[in-house]
Amino acid sequence: MVGLISPDFLLSKSNLAALLHSHIWSAFHLTLKKINISDLKEETMDKIITTGKLKDKPPYQDSKSTVVPAKFMCHNCSKLKIFLGALAFSFFAKGFSGSYMKSMSSQIERRFEISSSIVGIIDGSFELGNLMVMVLVSYLGPRVHRPKIIAVGCLIMSLGAFLSVMPQFLMGRYNYERIAITLENSSTSVSACSRASSVDHPVSDTTETPNTMKNLGCEKTSNSYLWLFVLMGNLLRGIGEAPVMPLGVSYIDDFSKEENSAFYIGLVRSSGMFGPTLGFLLGSFCASLWVDIGVVDTDTININPKDTRWVGAWWLGLLICGAVNFIASLPFFFLPYSLTKEGEDENPKKISHLSVQGDHCKTDPPAQPQLKFSEAVKDFLPTLKKLFGNPVFLVYVFLTILQYNSLVGLITYETKFMEQQFNVSVAKAIFLVGVILLPITILGMFLGGYLIKKFKLHITGMAKFACISFIVAYLLNLLYFMCNCEVLQLAGLTVPYSGFKQISSPKNSFMASCNADCSCKMDQWDPVCGDNGITYMTACFAGCKSSTGRGKHMVFHNCSCVEGQEHGHGNASAVLGQCQRESCTKAFPYFLALQSACAFILALGGTPTYMIMFRSVSPDLKSFAVGIETLGGRILGGLPAPIYFGALIDETCLKWGTKSCGGSGSCRIYDTKAFRNVYLGLIAGLRAGCCVLYMVLCVLIMRRFKTDDKEMTDIKNAEEAINKESVTVNKKETLPGTKTSEESEETHM
């Protein structure tokens, strides 16, 4: 080796010292190669593995002789964080599109002229899609590449959103139901009460061409079934969302510390709740826009968003939802099949795939197991029997089913309830849900996960916390019934014509002596509000003889049915739209505050309730348990709840709209008292069953896990004490050979 060094180099003392130093390092590396890696101190290997490089060593070369920094070789922790971020965004995407579809249920009902029960079927198709693949996805979860399956699911959700938009481009313009009025001698005066006013079909917008108006009589038969596109799109959304929850949550629980798992899951779920918030805000914005925006001049529209005939631009937000779901799928294609469990990199004995060769530190990924479908099917029934043999999990599934029923029914018809009960527009109701209720729910979910981590709650503590919070929320929920609201005073339906004898049968009670000569059509709905505070189905039924103004500002005069003891002849008038109910508007803030309190308390116990399932089943059944729990909630809760909620709500309808081809359309006005009793009564009854199951669940958990929790607490306390002692001792230890070098220096000195 000396022969390779130039004489000039040997003349320098500093270079001689450098040469000596290089010989020492060479000897040290030869010694390291002879020493077994298991004989090294755990503290030294911890630093090597954690930092990804040997102390004071330069970057190394890979197999292609390319210099690569050592810190990029061991980065499982960063990949776990990337997965957390990607999963949080996928939760955001699915919540964003799901909440938007929920907020548009009323708009879809009116656009396609369908009943609430049909809307419930469309909403339930999402759960049906989950049902089709949930069991298979959750059972095969640990055996497949979970990140890539989640990516495919997001792509399918995107496809479903785009498919739901198709009817908007296949149907013609929306023509809302209204009466025709005839011109009299003056161009500024038109009459509603006239024999010529009765037409067979509602008129179209003023922007329609004559040919369109001529063919307005009956829509194409195919248009009546275009809502099936929305149903199929919702079905695809359900199929695509199926793998996100079970595979994502089980992936986190498999590769994170036990004490961090609840916090991570709570963080992901609460982050995902921003999706529903923005989804409802987008829904509020789109609901305030006319459905045919950009095609029809909105100044010619005579109704406002508070009218039950108003249809917002429901299709516009679905385009945005499809794009967001597509973006959410991209990160998962670049994530690995599995990761090193968080915390295991601190102990080299637990890392079997780590090898140290000279200057190299690399982590070899574990090989993906080969999945045999026949073996998976053979083990399915025994695994299912083992899972349902767990009484804690069985009660938890029944609890989930009841909670799904109440929650899905609540969310699906919440905006409709606010609109009918408190006289607010659908756009405003959606906005309030997105701005007030959902952020409070996010805060509650995040705080629930934080409390588990902060106080290190075990399964018994989680069960008690969840049970108490739910019972408190249920008691507050009963106060909903105190928010009374009067029924809309509709002449001939909820109240009689003032001072006039009704001449029609009870089935058709809209006719009276004041409008008998007006030849009014019973199948028309264009409500007006009289000076007496009573709403009439049309200006014709109010007996109005003339009007002034145009469009939204039209005012009808000489309304014979509005005239009564308080009005002289010829002085009564009516304006377009339903009469306002002041008492309902005043009660709305109290209802909103009460609902916010209930939402926060329920969300506070939501994360502890969810973690009960993970702590009550064996680790190899976690993914399967999530799938079975979600499946039970979907098939017995999410699927039937919108249908029977909608069917019972339909029974409270007082006046149905009429399609242009005949037949009933969407409901125009409800009996608000009956609506309130049905809607709130169903929710209260379902949650009463939840309270009973929560108490049963607490008893079962306390009997099964009380001793285990005490032992685990003692073990953790002992481990913490040992760890503190080991840290103190480890600070005094050094690498083999370091002490020898120091002694050598002291000897030379």
Side-chain angles (χ1 to χ4, degrees):
M1 185 173 181
V2 176
L4 299 176
I5 304 173
S6 64
D8 294 334
F9 180 85
L10 293 174
L11 294 177
S12 174
K13 292 183 179 180
S14 60
N15 288 340
L16 286 174
L19 178 63
L20 180 61
H21 186 266
S22 64
H23 278 286
I24 294 174
W25 270 111
S26 299
F28 177 71
H29 284 306
L30 289 173
T31 304
L32 279 179
K33 290 182 179 180
K34 295 178 181 179
I35 297 176
N36 192 303
I37 187 174
S38 61
D39 296 331
L40 292 176
K41 295 291 184 179
E42 291 185 3
E43 297 79 24
T44 304
M45 285 306 301
D46 176 66
K47 181 175 291 187
I48 293 173
I49 298 168
T50 304
T51 61
K53 58 182 179 179
L54 291 171
K55 186 177 181 180
D56 297 332
K57 293 299 290 180
Y60 56 84
Q61 294 181 344
D62 60 6
S63 58
K64 296 181 180 180
S65 300
T66 304
V67 177
V68 181
K71 64 181 180 180
F72 289 108
M73 293 301 292
C74 304
H75 51 282
N76 287 302
C77 182
S78 63
K79 285 190 176 181
L80 178 61
K81 292 179 180 178
I82 292 173
F83 181 83
L84 288 173
L87 187 65
F89 187 74
S90 68
F91 270 57
F92 168 87
K94 73 183 185 68
F96 181 72
S97 56
S99 62
Y100 180 81
M101 282 297 297
K102 291 286 186 182
S103 68
M104 290 292 105
S105 59
S106 295
Q107 313 302 317
I108 293 173
E109 176 182 348
R110 297 169 186 173
R111 182 64 182 95
F112 296 98
E113 290 290 345
I114 55 180
S115 63
S116 296
S117 57
I118 298 296
V119 172
I121 293 175
I122 294 175
D123 189 83
S125 64
F126 174 84
E127 318 299 340
L128 183 62
N130 266 259
L131 169 66
M132 294 171 62
V133 296
M134 178 60 69
V135 175
L136 181 64
V137 166
S138 59
Y139 178 66
L140 301 180
R143 303 169 176 84
V144 296
H145 198 300
R146 284 176 279 189
K148 288 186 178 179
I149 296 297
I150 294 175
V152 173
C154 292
L155 288 178
I156 296 176
M157 285 194 289
S158 177
L159 178 62
F162 290 132
L163 181 62
S164 299
V165 179
M166 292 300 296
Q168 175 62 25
F169 303 101
L170 298 176
M171 300 176 71
R173 299 179 188 177
Y174 172 63
N175 299 288
Y176 58 92
E177 185 182 2
R178 55 178 171 165
I179 66 169
I181 50 182
T182 58
L183 294 174
E184 293 185 342
N185 296 333
S186 173
S187 61
T188 60
S189 179
V190 293
S191 173
C193 180
S194 173
R195 293 184 182 276
S197 68
S198 299
V199 292
D200 294 334
H201 313 289
V203 299
S204 63
D205 295 330
T206 56
T207 55
E208 296 286 346
T209 62
N211 291 334
T212 304
M213 295 180 66
K214 182 178 179 180
N215 297 327
L216 183 64
C218 191
E219 298 176 359
K220 293 181 180 180
T221 305
S222 60
N223 285 2
S224 302
Y225 301 98
L226 286 178
W227 56 268
L228 291 173
F229 279 89
V230 184
L231 185 144
M232 292 303 298
N234 225 24
L235 182 73
L236 287 178
R237 282 186 50 251
I239 293 174
E241 187 177 321
V244 177
M245 172 71 79
L247 300 189
V249 171
S250 63
Y251 195 89
I252 293 175
D253 198 64
D254 285 346
F255 303 116
S256 62
K257 292 182 180 179
E258 182 178 347
E259 59 268 24
N260 292 338
S261 177
F263 179 73
Y264 288 159
I265 293 173
L267 184 64
V268 168
R269 295 182 69 192
S270 59
S271 300
M273 286 299 292
F274 286 101
T277 300
L278 293 181
F280 274 105
L281 291 180
L282 179 63
S284 175
F285 173 74
C286 292
S288 64
L289 302 175
W290 184 245
V291 60
D292 294 318
I293 185 173
V295 180
V296 175
D297 184 7
T298 55
D299 293 335
T300 62
I301 307 300
N302 296 337
I303 58 177
N304 56 46
K306 281 190 175 183
D307 198 292
T308 55
R309 295 165 294 171
W310 177 273
V311 176
W314 60 275
W315 55 275
L316 185 60
L318 286 174
L319 296 176
I320 301 175
C321 292
V324 171
N325 281 290
F326 176 78
I327 295 173
S329 68
L330 300 180
F332 292 102
F333 285 108
F334 305 98
L335 288 169
Y337 166 79
S338 63
L339 300 172
T340 302
K341 188 172 181 65
E342 186 182 24
E344 285 191 357
D345 54 346
E346 298 177 2
N347 189 351
K349 294 180 180 179
K350 297 180 181 179
I351 303 178
S352 59
H353 55 273
L354 179 70
S355 61
V356 178
Q357 301 175 351
D359 296 341
H360 296 266
C361 173
K362 60 183 179 179
T363 302
D364 299 327
Q368 180 173 343
Q370 297 294 327
L371 175 64
K372 294 183 179 180
F373 184 77
S374 58
E375 295 180 2
V377 173
K378 183 179 180 181
D379 295 339
F380 177 79
L381 290 179
T383 305
L384 187 65
K385 183 178 179 181
K386 179 181 178 181
L387 195 60
F388 279 106
N390 186 342
V392 175
F393 179 77
L394 189 61
V395 174
Y396 178 84
V397 170
F398 286 123
L399 174 63
T400 300
I401 292 172
L402 291 183
Q403 285 185 322
Y404 260 87
N405 277 269
S406 62
L407 184 62
V408 172
L410 171 71
I411 295 176
T412 304
Y413 299 102
E414 179 71 8
T415 55
K416 179 188 284 289
F417 177 76
M418 289 183 179
E419 178 192 27
Q420 295 292 330
Q421 190 76 19
F422 299 106
N423 200 33
V424 298
S425 66
V426 174
K428 182 179 179 181
I430 296 171
F431 177 80
L432 292 173
V433 171
V435 171
I436 298 177
L437 295 180
L438 285 181
I440 289 176
T441 304
I442 294 172
L443 179 62
M445 294 179 64
F446 180 80
L447 186 58
Y450 175 77
L451 290 176
I452 294 176
K453 178 178 176 63
K454 177 69 175 178
F455 298 102
K456 298 181 179 179
L457 295 178
H458 300 303
I459 187 170
T460 53
M462 294 179 190
K464 293 177 183 178
F465 180 70
C467 181
I468 293 173
S469 62
F470 190 88
I471 292 176
V472 172
Y474 176 73
L475 295 177
L476 289 176
N477 183 75
L478 297 178
L479 298 178
Y480 284 155
F481 291 94
M482 297 179 63
C483 299
N484 294 323
C485 186
E486 62 187 17
V487 179
L488 177 69
Q489 291 185 319
L490 184 62
L493 189 61
T494 60
V495 293
Y497 282 88
S498 300
F500 296 97
K501 181 181 179 180
Q502 293 183 203
I503 61 175
S504 59
S505 63
K507 183 178 180 181
N508 300 319
S509 58
F510 295 100
M511 299 300 297
S513 59
C514 60
N515 57 24
D517 298 332
C518 294
S519 302
C520 302
K521 285 288 185 180
M522 299 295 299
D523 58 353
Q524 293 175 342
W525 177 262
D526 194 4
V528 295
C529 178
D531 290 341
N532 55 1
I534 296 177
T535 301
Y536 297 86
M537 194 162 67
T538 64
C540 180
F541 285 99
C544 300
K545 305 299 189 299
S546 62
S547 65
T548 57
R550 303 185 65 179
K552 299 177 182 178
H553 306 289
M554 182 177 293
V555 179
F556 296 91
H557 302 284
N558 300 325
C559 302
S560 58
C561 293
V562 180
E563 295 174 357
Q565 297 178 357
E566 296 133 358
H567 297 86
H569 291 287
N571 295 329
S573 62
V575 296
L576 287 173
Q578 301 176 15
C579 296
Q580 300 296 317
R581 292 171 289 165
E582 297 298 332
S583 62
C584 300
T585 305
K586 293 178 180 178
F588 183 63
Y590 300 101
F591 172 80
L592 199 61
L594 183 61
Q595 194 172 44
S596 300
C598 290
F600 176 77
I601 298 173
L602 284 173
L604 195 65
T607 301
T609 301
Y610 196 72
M611 292 306 300
I612 289 175
M613 176 181 58
F614 286 96
R615 299 294 175 256
S616 62
V617 299
S618 57
D620 59 319
L621 297 178
K622 287 180 182 179
S623 180
F624 192 38
V626 174
I628 292 297
E629 176 262 346
T630 307
L631 173 66
R634 300 286 191 190
I635 188 174
L636 298 177
L639 181 60
I643 299 175
Y644 70 76
F645 263 81
L648 292 175
I649 289 173
D650 285 339
E651 294 297 321
T652 67
C653 182
L654 295 177
K655 171 62 180 173
W656 290 93
T658 304
K659 296 180 181 180
S660 58
C661 294
S664 298
S666 59
C667 185
R668 301 306 184 195
I669 187 69
Y670 291 90
D671 183 344
T672 53
K673 287 186 177 180
F675 193 159
R676 184 187 69 239
N677 293 334
V678 167
Y679 178 71
L680 298 180
L682 279 174
I683 295 173
L686 292 169
R687 289 182 175 176
C690 290
C691 288
V692 175
L693 290 179
Y694 259 115
M695 291 185 284
V696 173
L697 190 65
C698 280
V699 173
L700 291 175
I701 290 175
M702 290 178 66
R703 288 180 179 178
R704 177 179 174 183
F705 294 98
K706 190 173 183 180
T707 304
D708 295 341
D709 282 348
K710 185 177 180 181
E711 292 177 355
M712 288 181 65
T713 303
D714 295 338
I715 292 172
K716 286 192 174 183
N717 292 335
E719 288 179 352
E720 289 178 359
I722 294 173
N723 289 336
K724 290 180 180 179
E725 293 178 1
S726 62
V727 169
T728 304
V729 173
N730 291 340
K731 288 181 179 179
K732 300 179 181 179
E733 295 183 356
T734 57
L735 275 169
T738 305
K739 185 176 180 180
T740 305
S741 301
E742 293 176 355
E743 291 176 352
S744 177
E745 291 178 1
E746 292 177 357
T747 304
H748 284 85
M749 289 176 65

